[in-house]
Amino acid sequence: MKNYPLALLAACAALVVGAGCSHIEITQEGDPHRTVNGTVEFRSDLALPADAVVVVRVIDPAGTEMMRAMANKDLPIGDRAKVEPVPQVLAEQTITGPKGGSIPFHIEYVADDSLMRHGLNIDARISFAGKVRFRTAVAHVLTLGNAEYPHTVWLELASR
């Protein structure tokens, strides 16, 4: 009877260790070289002038890559400077003289799976006469789950 608590403890430990291993997911990381396709949409009743320029960007809103690069690993956590997140542009496409209300885009960018899991944004702007006239008002999120599908990014009139 004296070995009963020890045997029970060993059995519980084996169950805990075995249960923890059953949920380990080992998958290959995806290719960090990615592309995103889609269209930029805005009010179809407005015509763009000949000098219009559309800029579509893939942005890391939290500046994750920059924060990783700036982290100083030889200092204790309490001594590290606080790095403010700065949105980082990972890639962009500039389209000059767009026609119509539906403007196609195709952007190649580099982002590893961990960055994609945290989420990126697609940001678009239309400028003419030296001013931003349309912009993305609501964040359009790009993740591992939707990166391979075409995206429709809606723009709204920029505030004056």
Side-chain angles (χ1 to χ4, degrees):
M1 273 315 214
K2 291 183 180 181
N3 290 337
Y4 179 71
L6 186 57
L8 181 61
L9 182 61
C12 288
L15 282 174
V16 169
V17 169
C21 293
S22 68
H23 296 292
I24 293 177
E25 194 173 311
I26 301 174
T27 57
Q28 294 275 337
E29 285 285 318
D31 184 5
H33 299 278
R34 304 172 192 272
T35 59
V36 61
N37 299 298
T39 57
V40 172
E41 306 282 345
F42 63 100
R43 285 180 41 190
S44 61
D45 61 331
L46 299 174
L48 294 177
D51 68 335
V53 176
V54 178
V55 178
V56 185
R57 295 179 173 136
V58 175
I59 297 174
D60 174 10
T64 307
E65 289 299 320
M66 182 180 288
M67 289 172 64
R68 287 180 190 167
M70 294 180 70
N72 190 346
K73 294 183 174 52
D74 17 345
L75 293 175
I77 291 177
D79 293 342
R80 292 183 189 161
K82 302 290 185 232
V83 179
E84 291 295 321
V86 176
Q88 180 182 11
V89 176
L90 300 179
E92 74 178 28
Q93 179 183 10
T94 301
I95 305 161
T96 55
K99 306 287 185 230
S102 183
I103 304 161
F105 66 87
H106 174 86
I107 301 175
E108 296 178 2
Y109 63 101
V110 177
D112 62 15
D113 284 357
S114 67
L115 192 57
M116 293 298 293
R117 277 190 288 276
H118 120 79
L120 303 174
N121 286 350
I122 300 175
D123 179 67
R125 296 167 189 242
I126 299 176
S127 302
F128 52 88
K131 295 183 180 178
V132 174
R133 304 299 179 149
F134 294 91
R135 65 180 182 84
T136 308
V138 178
H140 188 88
V141 181
L142 182 63
T143 65
L144 272 177
N146 69 7
E148 61 197 38
Y149 301 111
H151 293 266
T152 303
V153 181
W154 282 94
L155 304 185
E156 294 183 9
L157 283 168
S159 301
R160 294 178 187 230

